[in-house]
Protein backbone atom coordinates (compact mmCIF):
# COMPACT_ATOMS: atom_id res chain seq x y z
CA UNK A 1 0.00 0.00 0.00
CA UNK A 2 1.04 3.59 -0.56
CA UNK A 3 1.45 5.94 2.36
CA UNK A 4 -1.80 7.78 1.63
CA UNK A 5 -3.77 4.52 1.55
CA UNK A 6 -2.28 3.37 4.85
CA UNK A 7 -2.98 6.74 6.47
CA UNK A 8 -6.64 6.58 5.40
CA UNK A 9 -6.94 3.25 7.24
CA UNK A 10 -5.62 4.54 10.56
CA UNK A 11 -9.08 4.85 12.11
CA UNK A 12 -10.04 1.27 11.23
CA UNK A 13 -6.61 0.03 12.20
CA UNK A 14 -6.80 1.76 15.59
CA UNK A 15 -10.08 -0.05 16.35
CA UNK A 16 -8.56 -3.37 15.27
CA UNK A 17 -5.43 -2.84 17.38
CA UNK A 18 -7.51 -1.82 20.42
CA UNK A 19 -9.32 -5.15 20.12
CA UNK A 20 -6.61 -7.71 19.29
CA UNK A 21 -3.87 -5.97 21.31
CA UNK A 22 -6.18 -5.25 24.23
CA UNK A 23 -4.15 -7.65 26.41
CA UNK A 24 -1.08 -5.39 26.21
CA UNK A 25 -1.01 -3.50 29.50
CA UNK A 26 0.47 -0.19 28.31
CA UNK A 27 -0.85 2.39 25.88
CA UNK A 28 2.58 3.00 24.33
CA UNK A 29 2.87 -0.74 23.53
CA UNK A 30 -0.41 -0.62 21.61
CA UNK A 31 0.73 2.55 19.88
CA UNK A 32 3.93 0.96 18.62
CA UNK A 33 2.01 -2.17 17.68
CA UNK A 34 -0.19 -0.06 15.41
CA UNK A 35 2.87 1.73 14.03
CA UNK A 36 4.58 -1.59 13.25
CA UNK A 37 1.46 -2.86 11.46
CA UNK A 38 1.37 0.25 9.29
CA UNK A 39 5.03 -0.30 8.46
CA UNK A 40 4.33 -3.89 7.41
CA UNK A 41 1.45 -2.86 5.14
CA UNK A 42 3.32 0.07 3.59
CA UNK A 43 5.06 -0.51 0.25
CA UNK A 44 8.77 -1.14 0.53
CA UNK A 45 11.36 -3.68 -0.44
CA UNK A 46 12.36 -4.56 3.13
CA UNK A 47 10.03 -4.85 6.13
CA UNK A 48 12.73 -4.94 8.80
CA UNK A 49 12.66 -2.32 11.54
CA UNK A 50 15.08 0.32 10.22
CA UNK A 51 13.60 0.78 6.71
CA UNK A 52 10.04 0.68 8.09
CA UNK A 53 10.87 3.38 10.65
CA UNK A 54 12.36 5.53 7.89
CA UNK A 55 9.25 5.22 5.71
CA UNK A 56 6.72 6.01 8.46
CA UNK A 57 5.98 9.66 9.35
CA UNK A 58 5.95 8.75 13.06
CA UNK A 59 8.52 5.95 12.81
CA UNK A 60 11.09 5.62 15.56
CA UNK A 61 13.66 2.90 15.04
CA UNK A 62 14.73 2.69 18.67
CA UNK A 63 11.15 2.50 19.97
CA UNK A 64 10.14 -0.16 17.41
CA UNK A 65 13.31 -2.11 18.13
CA UNK A 66 12.54 -2.11 21.83
CA UNK A 67 8.89 -3.02 21.27
CA UNK A 68 9.68 -6.04 19.13
CA UNK A 69 12.88 -7.37 20.65
CA UNK A 70 12.91 -6.38 24.32
CA UNK A 71 9.40 -5.51 25.48
CA UNK A 72 7.99 -8.44 27.53
CA UNK A 73 4.43 -8.35 26.15
CA UNK A 74 2.71 -11.71 25.78
CA UNK A 75 1.98 -12.76 22.21
CA UNK A 76 -0.31 -15.69 23.08
CA UNK A 77 -3.42 -13.61 24.01
CA UNK A 78 -2.96 -11.55 20.84
CA UNK A 79 -2.89 -14.65 18.65
CA UNK A 80 -5.87 -16.10 20.49
CA UNK A 81 -7.93 -12.99 19.78
CA UNK A 82 -6.87 -12.99 16.13
CA UNK A 83 -7.78 -16.67 15.81
CA UNK A 84 -11.23 -16.13 17.31
CA UNK A 85 -12.00 -13.12 15.12
CA UNK A 86 -10.79 -14.81 11.95
CA UNK A 87 -12.66 -18.06 12.59
CA UNK A 88 -15.85 -16.07 13.17
CA UNK A 89 -15.32 -14.06 9.98
CA UNK A 90 -14.08 -16.82 7.66
CA UNK A 91 -16.18 -19.76 8.88
CA UNK A 92 -13.37 -22.15 7.89
CA UNK A 93 -14.14 -25.43 6.17
CA UNK A 94 -10.67 -26.73 6.95
CA UNK A 95 -7.67 -26.09 9.14
CA UNK A 96 -4.46 -26.55 7.19
CA UNK A 97 -1.33 -27.80 8.95
CA UNK A 98 1.86 -26.75 7.21
CA UNK A 99 5.37 -25.45 7.78
CA UNK A 100 7.40 -22.65 6.24
CA UNK A 101 11.13 -21.94 6.12
CA UNK A 102 13.16 -18.74 6.50
CA UNK A 103 16.65 -18.83 4.92
CA UNK A 104 19.22 -17.35 7.31
CA UNK A 105 22.94 -16.65 7.46
CA UNK A 106 25.05 -17.49 10.49
CA UNK A 107 24.21 -19.63 13.52
CA UNK A 108 22.90 -17.15 16.12
CA UNK A 109 19.27 -16.66 15.00
CA UNK A 110 16.95 -18.75 17.15
CA UNK A 111 16.25 -22.20 15.70
CA UNK A 112 18.56 -21.77 12.71
CA UNK A 113 20.28 -24.91 11.40
CA UNK A 114 21.17 -26.62 8.18
CA UNK A 115 17.96 -28.47 7.34
CA UNK A 116 15.38 -29.00 4.62
CA UNK A 117 14.46 -25.53 3.34
CA UNK A 118 11.26 -25.43 1.28
CA UNK A 119 11.89 -21.81 0.28
CA UNK A 120 15.10 -22.85 -1.53
CA UNK A 121 14.11 -26.40 -2.44
CA UNK A 122 17.18 -27.95 -0.80
CA UNK A 123 19.00 -28.38 2.51
CA UNK A 124 20.21 -24.99 3.65
CA UNK A 125 20.73 -22.78 6.67
CA UNK A 126 17.24 -21.70 7.77
CA UNK A 127 14.58 -21.48 10.45
CA UNK A 128 11.38 -23.56 10.14
CA UNK A 129 8.00 -22.79 11.68
CA UNK A 130 4.91 -24.98 11.92
CA UNK A 131 1.61 -23.18 11.31
CA UNK A 132 -2.13 -23.86 11.31
CA UNK A 133 -4.38 -21.85 8.99
CA UNK A 134 -8.15 -21.42 8.80
CA UNK A 135 -9.28 -21.68 5.19
CA UNK A 136 -12.12 -21.68 2.71
CA UNK A 137 -11.80 -21.27 -1.04
CA UNK A 138 -12.47 -17.54 -0.57
CA UNK A 139 -10.27 -16.63 2.41
CA UNK A 140 -7.61 -17.91 4.77
CA UNK A 141 -5.33 -16.71 7.54
CA UNK A 142 -2.83 -18.30 9.96
CA UNK A 143 -4.23 -18.97 13.42
CA UNK A 144 -1.13 -20.07 15.32
CA UNK A 145 2.60 -20.68 14.92
CA UNK A 146 5.35 -22.68 16.59
CA UNK A 147 9.06 -22.39 15.87
CA UNK A 148 10.80 -25.72 15.21
CA UNK A 149 13.91 -26.14 17.36
CA UNK A 150 16.42 -28.52 15.70
CA UNK A 151 18.16 -31.15 17.79
CA UNK A 152 21.49 -29.33 17.84
CA UNK A 153 19.86 -26.55 19.88
CA UNK A 154 18.77 -28.85 22.70
CA UNK A 155 22.18 -29.24 24.36
CA UNK A 156 23.88 -25.98 23.36
CA UNK A 157 23.12 -23.97 26.49
CA UNK A 158 25.21 -20.96 25.48
CA UNK A 159 23.42 -20.67 22.16
CA UNK A 160 20.02 -21.07 23.82
CA UNK A 161 20.82 -18.45 26.44
CA UNK A 162 21.91 -15.89 23.85
CA UNK A 163 18.71 -16.44 21.85
CA UNK A 164 16.50 -16.40 24.94
CA UNK A 165 15.03 -19.87 24.40
CA UNK A 166 12.88 -20.83 27.44
CA UNK A 167 14.18 -23.75 29.51
CA UNK A 168 11.05 -25.82 28.87
CA UNK A 169 11.42 -25.62 25.07
CA UNK A 170 13.27 -28.54 23.54
CA UNK A 171 13.56 -30.37 20.25
CA UNK A 172 10.37 -32.19 19.22
CA UNK A 173 9.18 -33.36 15.81
CA UNK A 174 7.11 -31.12 13.56
CA UNK A 175 4.13 -33.45 13.89
CA UNK A 176 4.26 -33.12 17.68
CA UNK A 177 4.52 -29.34 17.33
CA UNK A 178 1.48 -29.41 15.05
CA UNK A 179 -0.49 -31.45 17.60
CA UNK A 180 0.43 -28.95 20.31
CA UNK A 181 -0.75 -26.05 18.16
CA UNK A 182 -4.03 -27.84 17.36
CA UNK A 183 -4.55 -28.65 21.05
CA UNK A 184 -4.06 -25.00 22.00
CA UNK A 185 -6.55 -23.84 19.38
CA UNK A 186 -9.11 -26.43 20.49
CA UNK A 187 -8.59 -25.40 24.13
CA UNK A 188 -9.73 -21.89 23.18
CA UNK A 189 -13.15 -23.32 22.37
CA UNK A 190 -12.71 -23.00 18.60
CA UNK A 191 -14.59 -25.61 16.59
CA UNK A 192 -11.98 -27.83 14.97
CA UNK A 193 -12.62 -28.02 11.23
CA UNK A 194 -11.55 -30.85 8.93
CA UNK A 195 -7.75 -30.95 9.20
CA UNK A 196 -5.76 -31.14 5.97
CA UNK A 197 -2.03 -31.37 5.34
CA UNK A 198 0.50 -32.44 2.74
CA UNK A 199 2.28 -35.78 2.80
CA UNK A 200 4.96 -34.40 5.12
CA UNK A 201 2.38 -34.77 7.89
CA UNK A 202 -0.04 -37.25 6.32
CA UNK A 203 2.59 -39.96 5.94
CA UNK A 204 2.91 -40.08 9.73
CA UNK A 205 0.47 -42.79 10.81
CA UNK A 206 1.01 -41.81 14.44
CA UNK A 207 -0.01 -38.22 13.64
CA UNK A 208 -3.23 -39.38 11.98
CA UNK A 209 -3.97 -41.72 14.88
CA UNK A 210 -3.42 -38.87 17.36
CA UNK A 211 -6.00 -36.79 15.48
CA UNK A 212 -8.44 -39.69 15.63
CA UNK A 213 -7.89 -40.09 19.38
CA UNK A 214 -8.94 -36.45 19.77
CA UNK A 215 -12.08 -37.04 17.71
CA UNK A 216 -10.98 -34.83 14.81
CA UNK A 217 -11.63 -35.45 11.12
CA UNK A 218 -8.88 -35.20 8.53
CA UNK A 219 -8.12 -35.49 4.82
CA UNK A 220 -4.35 -35.81 4.39
CA UNK A 221 -2.04 -36.46 1.48
CA UNK A 222 -0.15 -39.72 1.95
CA UNK A 223 2.81 -41.47 0.38
CA UNK A 224 1.86 -44.00 -2.34
CA UNK A 225 4.35 -46.38 -0.69
CA UNK A 226 2.15 -46.63 2.42
CA UNK A 227 0.79 -50.15 2.75
CA UNK A 228 -2.85 -51.15 3.19
CA UNK A 229 -5.29 -53.96 2.47
CA UNK A 230 -8.59 -53.91 0.60
CA UNK A 231 -11.73 -53.45 2.67
CA UNK A 232 -12.82 -57.03 1.89
CA UNK A 233 -9.70 -58.57 3.45
CA UNK A 234 -10.48 -60.69 6.51
CA UNK A 235 -8.06 -62.20 9.01
CA UNK A 236 -8.11 -65.89 9.84
CA UNK A 237 -7.16 -67.67 13.05
CA UNK A 238 -4.29 -70.16 12.56
CA UNK A 239 -4.65 -73.50 14.30
CA UNK A 240 -3.13 -73.59 17.78
CA UNK A 241 0.08 -75.66 17.81
CA UNK A 242 -0.21 -76.38 21.53
CA UNK A 243 2.90 -74.49 22.60
CA UNK A 244 3.11 -70.94 23.93
CA UNK A 245 0.42 -68.26 23.63
CA UNK A 246 -2.17 -68.62 20.87
CA UNK A 247 -1.14 -67.15 17.51
CA UNK A 248 -2.77 -63.83 16.67
CA UNK A 249 -5.29 -63.70 13.85
CA UNK A 250 -3.56 -62.73 10.63
CA UNK A 251 -4.37 -61.81 7.05
CA UNK A 252 -3.59 -64.41 4.43
CA UNK A 253 -2.24 -61.93 1.86
CA UNK A 254 0.47 -59.36 2.56
CA UNK A 255 -0.40 -55.68 2.61
CA UNK A 256 0.24 -53.78 -0.63
CA UNK A 257 1.34 -50.23 -1.45
CA UNK A 258 -1.61 -47.97 -2.20
CA UNK A 259 -0.89 -48.13 -5.92
CA UNK A 260 -1.41 -51.90 -5.77
CA UNK A 261 -5.01 -51.38 -4.62
CA UNK A 262 -5.93 -49.55 -7.85
CA UNK A 263 -6.99 -51.83 -10.71
CA UNK A 264 -9.10 -51.82 -13.86
CA UNK A 265 -12.29 -52.03 -11.82
CA UNK A 266 -11.56 -48.85 -9.84
CA UNK A 267 -14.23 -46.32 -10.73
CA UNK A 268 -12.95 -42.81 -11.41
CA UNK A 269 -15.27 -39.88 -11.88
CA UNK A 270 -14.73 -36.31 -12.96
CA UNK A 271 -14.93 -33.75 -10.16
CA UNK A 272 -14.69 -29.95 -10.31
CA UNK A 273 -13.57 -28.49 -6.99
CA UNK A 274 -13.26 -24.76 -7.73
CA UNK A 275 -13.02 -22.09 -10.38
CA UNK A 276 -9.45 -20.98 -11.06
CA UNK A 277 -8.11 -17.99 -12.98
CA UNK A 278 -7.93 -20.16 -16.11
CA UNK A 279 -11.31 -21.84 -15.67
CA UNK A 280 -12.71 -24.81 -13.77
CA UNK A 281 -10.29 -26.96 -11.78
CA UNK A 282 -11.28 -30.49 -12.79
CA UNK A 283 -9.78 -33.95 -12.59
CA UNK A 284 -10.78 -37.60 -12.09
CA UNK A 285 -11.03 -39.13 -8.63
CA UNK A 286 -11.95 -42.43 -7.02
CA UNK A 287 -12.92 -43.24 -3.44
CA UNK A 288 -12.05 -46.59 -1.87
CA UNK A 289 -12.32 -48.17 1.54
CA UNK A 290 -9.00 -49.61 2.70
CA UNK A 291 -7.42 -51.01 5.85
CA UNK A 292 -4.14 -49.12 6.57
CA UNK A 293 -1.55 -51.65 7.75
CA UNK A 294 1.91 -51.57 9.20
CA UNK A 295 3.26 -51.70 12.76
CA UNK A 296 1.67 -48.51 14.08
CA UNK A 297 -1.77 -49.32 12.69
CA UNK A 298 -1.65 -52.86 14.11
CA UNK A 299 -0.35 -51.75 17.51
CA UNK A 300 -3.08 -49.13 17.83
CA UNK A 301 -5.77 -51.62 16.82
CA UNK A 302 -4.54 -53.99 19.55
CA UNK A 303 -4.57 -51.22 22.17
CA UNK A 304 -8.07 -50.13 21.22
CA UNK A 305 -9.27 -53.73 21.51
CA UNK A 306 -7.98 -53.94 25.06
CA UNK A 307 -4.74 -55.79 24.44
CA UNK A 308 -3.11 -58.43 22.27
CA UNK A 309 -5.18 -61.33 23.53
CA UNK A 310 -8.48 -59.54 22.89
CA UNK A 311 -7.76 -58.27 19.38
CA UNK A 312 -9.63 -60.07 16.62
CA UNK A 313 -7.01 -59.10 14.05
CA UNK A 314 -9.31 -56.77 12.10
CA UNK A 315 -7.70 -53.51 11.02
CA UNK A 316 -10.05 -50.49 10.92
CA UNK A 317 -11.42 -49.12 7.66
CA UNK A 318 -10.37 -45.75 6.31
CA UNK A 319 -11.33 -43.76 3.24
CA UNK A 320 -8.78 -43.39 0.45
CA UNK A 321 -9.15 -40.66 -2.18
CA UNK A 322 -7.15 -41.20 -5.38
CA UNK A 323 -6.58 -38.74 -8.23
CA UNK A 324 -5.79 -39.86 -11.78
CA UNK A 325 -6.22 -37.22 -14.50
CA UNK A 326 -7.55 -38.37 -17.85
CA UNK A 327 -4.19 -37.97 -19.57
CA UNK A 328 -2.15 -39.61 -16.79
CA UNK A 329 -0.88 -43.18 -17.03
CA UNK A 330 -1.50 -43.76 -13.32
CA UNK A 331 -2.58 -42.08 -10.08
CA UNK A 332 -0.95 -38.74 -9.26
CA UNK A 333 -2.24 -38.16 -5.74
CA UNK A 334 -3.47 -40.06 -2.67
CA UNK A 335 -5.28 -38.76 0.43
CA UNK A 336 -6.29 -40.75 3.51
CA UNK A 337 -9.29 -39.74 5.62
CA UNK A 338 -11.16 -40.97 8.66
CA UNK A 339 -14.40 -39.54 7.27
CA UNK A 340 -17.00 -42.12 6.16
CA UNK A 341 -16.67 -43.52 2.65
CA UNK A 342 -20.19 -42.18 2.08
CA UNK A 343 -18.92 -38.59 2.37
CA UNK A 344 -19.70 -36.84 -0.96
CA UNK A 345 -16.67 -37.09 -3.21
CA UNK A 346 -16.99 -33.39 -4.09
CA UNK A 347 -16.45 -32.52 -0.42
CA UNK A 348 -13.46 -34.85 -0.05
CA UNK A 349 -11.83 -33.42 -3.17
CA UNK A 350 -12.52 -29.80 -2.22
CA UNK A 351 -11.03 -30.28 1.25
CA UNK A 352 -8.03 -32.22 -0.06
CA UNK A 353 -7.29 -29.50 -2.59
CA UNK A 354 -7.89 -26.53 -0.28
CA UNK A 355 -4.27 -26.50 0.79
CA UNK A 356 -3.66 -24.21 -2.23
CA UNK A 357 -4.95 -21.33 -0.09
CA UNK A 358 -1.88 -21.61 2.13
CA UNK A 359 0.40 -20.79 -0.77
CA UNK A 360 -1.68 -17.60 -1.14
CA UNK A 361 -1.13 -16.89 2.58
CA UNK A 362 2.61 -17.38 2.37
CA UNK A 363 2.91 -15.13 -0.70
CA UNK A 364 1.14 -12.31 1.12
CA UNK A 365 2.90 -12.96 4.43
CA UNK A 366 6.37 -13.12 2.90
CA UNK A 367 6.33 -10.86 -0.14
CA UNK A 368 3.71 -8.37 1.01
CA UNK A 369 4.15 -8.21 4.79
CA UNK A 370 7.74 -9.21 5.41
CA UNK A 371 7.27 -12.43 7.37
CA UNK A 372 10.84 -13.49 6.57
CA UNK A 373 12.39 -10.01 6.78
CA UNK A 374 12.91 -10.04 10.55
CA UNK A 375 16.58 -9.46 11.38
CA UNK A 376 16.44 -10.09 15.13
CA UNK A 377 17.85 -13.26 16.63
CA UNK A 378 15.85 -13.98 19.77
CA UNK A 379 12.97 -16.28 20.62
CA UNK A 380 10.90 -13.36 21.90
CA UNK A 381 11.66 -11.15 18.91
CA UNK A 382 10.78 -13.87 16.41
CA UNK A 383 7.44 -14.58 18.09
CA UNK A 384 6.62 -10.87 18.38
CA UNK A 385 7.37 -10.26 14.70
CA UNK A 386 5.37 -13.29 13.52
CA UNK A 387 2.43 -12.22 15.71
CA UNK A 388 2.51 -8.69 14.26
CA UNK A 389 2.69 -10.00 10.68
CA UNK A 390 -0.26 -12.31 11.43
CA UNK A 391 -2.19 -9.34 12.82
CA UNK A 392 -1.46 -7.29 9.69
CA UNK A 393 -2.73 -10.06 7.42
CA UNK A 394 -5.77 -10.61 9.66
CA UNK A 395 -6.64 -6.91 9.39
CA UNK A 396 -6.37 -7.01 5.58
CA UNK A 397 -8.36 -10.27 5.42
CA UNK A 398 -11.18 -8.80 7.53
CA UNK A 399 -11.30 -5.76 5.24
CA UNK A 400 -11.51 -8.00 2.15
CA UNK A 401 -14.41 -9.87 3.74
CA UNK A 402 -16.26 -6.66 4.67
CA UNK A 403 -18.43 -5.45 1.74
CA UNK A 404 -18.61 -1.93 3.17
CA UNK A 405 -14.85 -1.64 3.56
CA UNK A 406 -14.36 -3.03 0.05
CA UNK A 407 -16.79 -0.53 -1.41
CA UNK A 408 -15.29 2.44 0.43
CA UNK A 409 -11.80 1.45 -0.64
Amino acid sequence: MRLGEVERLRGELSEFVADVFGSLPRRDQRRWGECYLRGLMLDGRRKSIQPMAERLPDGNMQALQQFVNQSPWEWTPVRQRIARRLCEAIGPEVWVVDDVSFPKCGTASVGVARQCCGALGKRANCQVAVSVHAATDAASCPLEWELFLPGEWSQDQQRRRRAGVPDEVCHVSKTRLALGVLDRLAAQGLAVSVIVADAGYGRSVSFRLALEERGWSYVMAVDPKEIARPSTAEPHQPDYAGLGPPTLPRYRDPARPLLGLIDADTLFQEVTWRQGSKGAMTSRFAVLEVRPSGKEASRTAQEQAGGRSRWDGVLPLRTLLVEQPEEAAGPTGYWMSNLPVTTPITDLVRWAKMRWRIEHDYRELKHGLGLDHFEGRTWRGWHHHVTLVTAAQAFLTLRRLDPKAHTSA
Side-chain angles (χ1 to χ4, degrees):
M1 289 184 180
R2 296 177 181 174
L3 182 58
E5 295 174 301
V6 173
E7 289 297 308
R8 284 195 293 271
L9 293 176
R10 287 189 71 162
E12 292 178 52
L13 185 59
S14 293
E15 293 180 8
F16 174 80
V17 168
D19 179 24
V20 301
F21 288 90
S23 59
L24 272 62
R26 293 179 4 217
R27 183 182 302 175
D28 65 310
Q29 290 175 324
R30 296 190 290 274
R31 174 195 168 196
W32 292 117
E34 179 188 336
C35 184
Y36 199 89
L37 263 60
R38 283 189 280 115
L40 293 172
M41 293 187 289
L42 191 61
D43 289 341
R45 186 173 180 181
R46 288 291 298 175
K47 301 297 177 73
S48 51
I49 291 173
Q50 181 176 348
M52 286 199 304
E54 292 171 352
R55 287 191 289 264
L56 290 163
D58 55 344
N60 182 310
M61 187 180 75
Q62 184 176 354
L64 289 174
Q65 183 80 24
Q66 197 279 334
F67 171 71
V68 175
N69 287 312
Q70 283 85 42
S71 183
W73 57 273
E74 290 290 333
W75 57 82
T76 299
V78 178
R79 293 187 194 171
Q80 288 177 345
R81 183 57 187 152
I82 292 171
R84 185 167 296 281
R85 283 197 62 170
L86 266 293
C87 283
E88 290 173 355
I90 292 175
E93 288 189 76
V94 300
W95 283 359
V96 185
V97 176
D98 208 349
D99 52 65
V100 62
S101 58
F102 310 89
K104 288 284 182 180
C105 296
T107 61
S109 294
V110 63
V112 73
R114 186 167 180 79
Q115 55 192 316
C116 181
C117 181
L120 300 178
K122 61 181 182 180
R123 284 183 62 82
N125 215 49
C126 66
Q127 296 167 314
V128 176
V130 173
S131 57
V132 173
H133 305 241
T136 68
D137 277 331
S140 58
C141 187
L143 301 178
E144 183 59 287
W145 301 83
E146 192 64 88
L147 182 65
F148 173 69
L149 201 66
E152 66 188 65
W153 277 78
S154 291
Q155 304 302 322
D156 194 334
Q157 295 303 319
Q158 185 178 16
R159 203 177 180 193
R160 290 170 62 93
R161 190 163 48 252
R162 286 176 178 173
V165 179
D167 292 340
E168 66 273 14
V169 175
C170 59
H171 166 71
V172 297
S173 68
K174 294 171 190 174
T175 53
R176 281 186 59 191
L177 285 181
L179 281 173
V181 171
L182 291 166
D183 284 337
R184 291 202 301 272
L185 290 169
Q188 296 175 39
L190 300 176
V192 181
S193 306
V194 175
I195 297 168
V196 304
D198 64 16
Y201 293 86
R203 70 165 59 97
S204 171
V205 176
S206 61
F207 181 60
R208 301 197 319 248
L209 291 171
L211 298 180
E212 293 176 12
E213 288 172 3
R214 289 159 170 78
W216 298 337
S217 301
Y218 62 81
V219 180
M220 294 198 169
V222 291
D223 194 313
K225 295 179 182 179
E226 180 169 335
I227 58 173
R229 292 179 169 84
S231 61
T232 54
E234 294 182 359
H236 75 286
Q237 179 67 59
D239 294 334
Y240 181 51
L243 295 173
T247 306
L248 284 176
R250 63 183 62 175
Y251 289 90
R252 296 179 185 275
D253 298 318
R256 289 174 275 169
L258 297 179
L259 178 60
L261 301 176
I262 312 302
D263 56 29
D265 295 328
T266 303
L267 178 63
F268 285 88
Q269 57 182 297
E270 194 169 271
V271 177
T272 298
W273 62 91
R274 70 179 178 89
Q275 292 294 320
S277 58
K278 298 182 181 179
M281 307 290 285
T282 302
S283 187
R284 297 190 317 144
F285 296 86
V287 175
L288 300 82
E289 252 188 330
V290 300
R291 299 185 186 277
S293 304
K295 293 181 179 178
E296 287 182 281
S298 298
R299 182 171 60 249
T300 301
Q302 286 185 35
E303 292 173 354
Q304 292 176 344
R308 183 180 186 276
S309 61
R310 297 185 178 183
W311 184 41
D312 61 5
V314 176
L315 290 165
L317 291 167
R318 294 295 175 262
T319 299
L320 177 66
L321 177 69
V322 184
E323 179 181 7
Q324 182 171 326
E326 185 72 43
E327 66 279 4
T332 57
Y334 300 84
W335 294 264
M336 196 73 74
S337 177
N338 62 337
L339 290 164
V341 73
T342 53
T343 304
I345 189 171
T346 51
D347 289 339
L348 289 173
V349 171
R350 192 174 72 257
W351 295 330
K353 292 289 188 176
M354 209 172 286
R355 188 186 168 278
W356 76 273
R357 280 292 320 184
I358 305 315
E359 302 306 323
H360 175 277
D361 277 349
Y362 287 148
R363 279 196 301 273
E364 183 173 41
L365 290 163
K366 283 190 168 187
H367 304 309
L369 298 171
L371 178 65
D372 55 351
H373 293 183
F374 180 60
E375 295 175 350
R377 295 175 172 178
T378 66
W379 174 270
R380 176 184 293 167
W382 185 90
H383 280 280
H384 281 170
H385 174 73
V386 167
T387 301
L388 289 157
V389 173
T390 302
Q393 199 210 25
F395 174 73
L396 295 174
T397 300
L398 291 170
R399 289 198 85 250
R400 287 191 287 263
L401 293 172
D402 184 353
K404 292 182 292 185
H406 183 73
T407 304
S408 63

